[in-house]
Amino acid sequence: LEKKYQEEIIKLNKELKDQEEKHKMELQIKSDEDKKEMYQLMTIQSREMKEKMKEYQQELHKLQNIVENNKQEAVIQQAEILQLKEEVSHLIEFEKKTMDFRKQQ
């Protein structure tokens, strides 16, 4: 009877070990699947972030062009203002000379 119990215990121990091994393998497979899934998710997120970065860089480039164009426009406008001031100065000078001439007449 004792021998039978020992054989049963050995058999149950082996089954338990087999179950543990099987469970370990399942966990490893699950872990590998989780890692694979996580990697795929990170790859997708990385791709999305790169796309966003590209969009932001394009938007930044557009804004930089606008700023540059505005700077150029400001320089042109300043030159036009200086030219108008000069013309007004000439007109004022001409008007003074005309007034002086009329006074002399």
Side-chain angles (χ1 to χ4, degrees):
L1 193 65
E2 190 178 315
K3 187 172 182 173
K4 188 173 181 179
Y5 280 133
Q6 282 181 339
E7 286 175 3
E8 193 63 32
I9 289 174
I10 290 172
K11 182 180 165 195
L12 288 174
N13 271 337
K14 186 178 181 331
E15 282 181 28
L16 181 64
K17 231 178 189 176
D18 287 349
Q19 285 292 332
E20 285 177 349
E21 199 59 40
K22 183 180 175 190
H23 186 66
K24 219 186 232 184
M25 291 286 286
E26 288 172 349
L27 284 177
Q28 183 62 42
I29 289 170
K30 179 78 173 132
S31 173
D32 288 348
E33 288 172 354
D34 288 346
K35 286 177 188 173
K36 191 182 235 179
E37 192 175 313
M38 183 66 83
Y39 177 77
Q40 289 172 340
L41 185 64
M42 289 173 68
T43 301
I44 290 169
Q45 288 174 337
S46 174
R47 194 175 307 128
E48 290 171 350
M49 288 175 69
K50 285 177 185 174
E51 285 295 318
K52 275 284 184 212
M53 185 87 104
K54 194 183 286 184
E55 288 174 24
Y56 289 150
Q57 285 175 334
Q58 289 172 345
E59 195 60 33
L60 178 62
H61 190 67
K62 284 180 191 174
L63 292 174
Q64 287 172 333
N65 283 341
I66 290 171
V67 167
E68 191 57 37
N69 289 341
N70 287 346
K71 283 181 184 176
Q72 290 173 0
E73 188 63 34
V75 168
I76 290 169
Q77 287 175 351
Q78 280 182 320
E80 289 173 349
I81 289 171
L82 288 175
Q83 186 178 350
L84 288 172
K85 282 182 179 178
E86 197 173 308
E87 288 177 16
V88 168
S89 291
H90 288 305
L91 287 173
I92 291 173
E93 194 63 37
F94 181 75
E95 187 65 31
K96 282 182 184 174
K97 287 181 182 178
T98 304
M99 297 283 257
D100 288 346
F101 182 74
R102 285 187 182 154
K103 283 180 185 174
Q104 289 175 3
Q105 294 292 328

